[in-house]
Amino acid sequence: MKRISHRGICILTPEKVFFKLKLFITNYFHPVKGGVESHVYYLAKNLIKKGHYVEVWCSNSSRDNRIKAKEEIIDKIKVKRFKTLFKIGDFGVIFPGIFFENKRFDIVHVHVYRHFHNFIPFFAKSKFILTPHWPNYPKEVRKPFVNSYIDLFDKFLGKIILNKYNKILCITDLEKEWFINKFKMNKEKLILLPDGIPASELKSKKIKHKGINVLCFGRQHKSKGFDQVIKIAKYFPKINFIIAGAKDQETENLKKLSINLKNVKI
């Protein structure tokens, strides 16, 4: 896909097809809602339109429960779910069944760094791509034992695993610099590719508030830092802060924090 910059947003447009068999591997997929899930969904959907054969492999977990369907077709995307053995924190899902599949793909595109499925290059032959989705979360967001696991993972396994990938697609300049500084990685291996938004979704929306409007868009999870937006909003009463996105564990807390602020809308 060709990348076109539009006001700091990456728009994906059709271009020549090079590969026919493509696999995405991620912890969760639709009907689970979230940024990574939408990212994979739109890439897969558009690649199918361009003539690729695409599969998505993921765990059989939702964020709270288990999904019964082992295989299904979602908007022409073949989804295969593997049994979850256990979970680590809110995001880490252990589903080792992927390592025993024999199917070959031209490209395997793995999503999110520091997860069990990152080991797939040790079990299969292909071209491997990793989109880390910004792993440098504040430590306060995670539980202490998860932070300890992360430190050990980066120290002993990080560079070994990252070297198995042909390319790493960073969604921001900050992420790219983080990998260079932390792992001394070759800059040629790191490609800046911001999250894509289909051009059809770039429709203007009229906002009733006059003046300056600040839109904060994303799943309402603690990791997104929307609570920090509300904390500073009181110092800018003439600016309207609009927090929009799928409800999650942080939604009720955001409502409580903003209850006395007229310039904040959830």
Side-chain angles (χ1 to χ4, degrees):
M1 287 187 178
K2 188 177 181 180
R3 185 162 57 113
I4 299 176
S5 177
H6 177 76
R7 297 182 182 179
I9 298 173
C10 171
I11 305 172
L12 302 181
T13 60
E15 207 177 44
K16 186 178 178 181
V17 176
F18 291 96
F19 299 94
K20 295 298 292 184
L21 301 175
K22 186 156 186 177
L23 171 66
F24 292 96
I25 301 179
T26 183
N27 282 327
Y28 307 106
F29 191 65
H30 285 234
V32 181
K33 301 295 183 183
V36 176
E37 294 74 37
S38 294
H39 180 112
V40 174
Y41 170 79
Y42 282 114
L43 283 179
K45 184 177 178 180
N46 281 280
L47 284 169
I48 290 171
K49 288 181 180 179
K50 289 161 61 67
H52 293 268
Y53 175 84
V54 177
E55 288 191 19
V56 175
W57 291 1
C58 59
S59 72
N60 67 341
S61 294
S62 65
R63 301 204 187 272
D64 303 308
N65 300 300
R66 296 287 189 269
I67 298 172
K68 292 183 179 180
K70 292 182 179 180
E71 294 188 22
E72 63 178 316
I73 305 295
I74 300 176
D75 288 347
K76 299 182 180 181
I77 305 167
K78 184 176 181 180
V79 181
K80 189 168 184 177
R81 298 189 180 90
F82 295 81
K83 183 179 179 181
T84 300
L85 292 187
F86 60 91
K87 295 173 69 175
I88 301 174
D90 295 329
F91 301 102
V93 186
I94 310 300
F95 52 109
I98 60 171
F99 301 141
F100 304 102
E101 291 287 317
N102 295 319
K103 193 164 186 178
R104 293 286 299 273
F105 292 86
D106 295 306
I107 293 181
V108 176
H109 190 170
V110 178
H111 290 264
V112 188
Y113 168 65
R114 291 201 199 101
H115 288 258
F116 192 70
H117 56 272
N118 291 166
F119 288 97
I120 191 66
F122 294 91
F123 294 85
K125 292 183 179 180
S126 183
K127 296 290 185 181
F128 292 94
I129 298 172
L130 174 67
T131 297
H133 293 279
W134 187 241
N136 193 24
Y137 275 23
K139 289 189 174 183
E140 295 78 14
V141 172
R142 298 188 176 105
K143 296 178 181 179
F145 81 91
V146 176
N147 286 321
S148 298
Y149 157 78
I150 285 170
D151 291 339
L152 291 172
F153 189 99
D154 285 349
K155 184 175 181 180
F156 295 105
L157 296 173
K159 196 162 186 177
I160 294 173
I161 291 172
L162 293 170
N163 283 337
K164 296 292 286 185
Y165 286 85
N166 299 88
K167 295 292 181 181
I168 297 173
L169 308 182
C170 298
I171 58 175
T172 66
D173 283 312
L174 285 174
E175 186 174 60
K176 186 175 180 180
E177 292 301 317
W178 184 81
F179 275 100
I180 292 171
N181 294 332
K182 188 172 183 67
F183 297 104
K184 310 302 179 186
M185 297 193 68
N186 186 342
K187 293 182 180 180
E188 297 299 317
K189 193 170 195 172
L190 300 165
I191 298 174
L192 178 62
L193 186 66
D195 285 337
I197 298 177
S200 60
E201 297 293 328
L202 294 175
K203 300 175 182 177
S204 61
K205 298 290 184 181
K206 291 185 178 180
I207 299 175
K208 295 181 180 179
H209 301 292
K210 294 181 179 180
I212 298 175
N213 298 285
V214 176
L215 174 63
C216 305
F217 189 75
R219 183 165 57 88
Q220 293 171 15
H221 186 272
K222 188 175 181 180
S223 61
K224 306 301 181 182
F226 292 141
D227 57 323
Q228 301 301 311
V229 174
I230 294 173
K231 288 177 181 178
I232 68 169
K234 64 181 180 181
Y235 298 106
F236 302 92
K238 294 183 179 180
I239 296 177
N240 302 302
F241 294 85
I242 303 165
I243 297 174
K247 293 181 180 180
D248 208 306
Q249 60 180 232
E250 186 72 355
T251 302
E252 292 304 315
N253 183 47
L254 296 177
K255 289 179 179 179
K256 290 178 182 178
L257 291 174
S258 62
I259 195 168
N260 294 317
L261 294 173
K262 294 181 179 180
N263 64 328
V264 176
K265 182 179 180 181
I266 309 297

